[in-house]
Amino acid sequence: MIVTKMSRAVMPSMDNGNGILFGGKLFSWMDEIAGIAAARYDGGKVVTVAMEEAAFRTPIPVGKYIDIVGEVISVGNTSLRVRIRVLIDRQEDIAAEAVFVFVAVDEEGRPRKVNDEK
């Protein structure tokens, strides 16, 4: 499988008021990486339709570096599921994770068959 990855520095402007990364910012990045992974797999336009199994496991302090890693884990007729894992400073422990569900859409925004002829 193709892996999509983004690294970020957690800056003070990303703080939730408690010295840790704001969860909404992290979920936005997770959705972005999941969308890139799904679009690369499909080769066309995809849209987020759901987020499953989302969990914050460890707070991410300001000043740390994180890796957000996405991988397509299943493909249906019109949908793809992408697992996202967030690691702090290249450690093995998962700080956050979720599964995002995408639907492949045509130019009019209607669901279409996923292009899985790879």
Side-chain angles (χ1 to χ4, degrees), residues 14-30:
M14 302 165 183
D15 177 296
N16 70 353
N18 295 311
I20 59 175
L21 178 62
F22 173 60
K25 176 63 105 179
L26 179 59
F27 273 142
S28 173
W29 293 335
M30 293 168 74

Side-chain angles (χ1 to χ4, degrees), residues 4-8 24-40 46 48 51 68-70 82 84 100 102:
T4 301
K5 178 179 166 182
M6 175 174 73
S7 298
R8 297 296 303 235
K25 176 63 105 179
L26 179 59
F27 273 142
S28 173
W29 293 335
M30 293 168 74
D31 185 33
E32 179 182 355
I33 295 306
I36 292 169
R40 282 180 170 168
V46 298
T48 308
M51 183 173 54
I68 304 167
V69 181
V82 180
I84 296 291
F100 289 80
F102 291 83

Side-chain angles (χ1 to χ4, degrees), residues 36-90:
I36 292 169
R40 282 180 170 168
Y41 183 94
D42 175 68
K45 188 174 179 180
V46 298
V47 294
T48 308
V49 295
M51 183 173 54
E52 305 172 344
E53 306 171 26
F56 291 119
R57 304 216 181 278
T58 304
I60 303 172
V62 168
K64 294 293 185 177
Y65 302 108
I66 61 172
D67 293 314
I68 304 167
V69 181
E71 183 177 18
V72 174
I73 57 171
S74 67
V75 178
N77 188 40
T78 62
S79 65
L80 304 96
R81 293 174 70 239
V82 180
R83 178 175 311 283
I84 296 291
R85 293 189 172 107
V86 179
L87 308 172
I88 302 173
D89 289 333
R90 295 192 278 183

Side-chain angles (χ1 to χ4, degrees), residues 96-116:
E97 64 184 327
V99 173
F100 289 80
V101 180
F102 291 83
V103 169
V105 295
D106 63 18
E107 292 304 317
E108 287 77 40
R110 293 184 302 250
R112 62 166 173 79
K113 183 168 175 32
V114 171
N115 178 15
D116 60 357

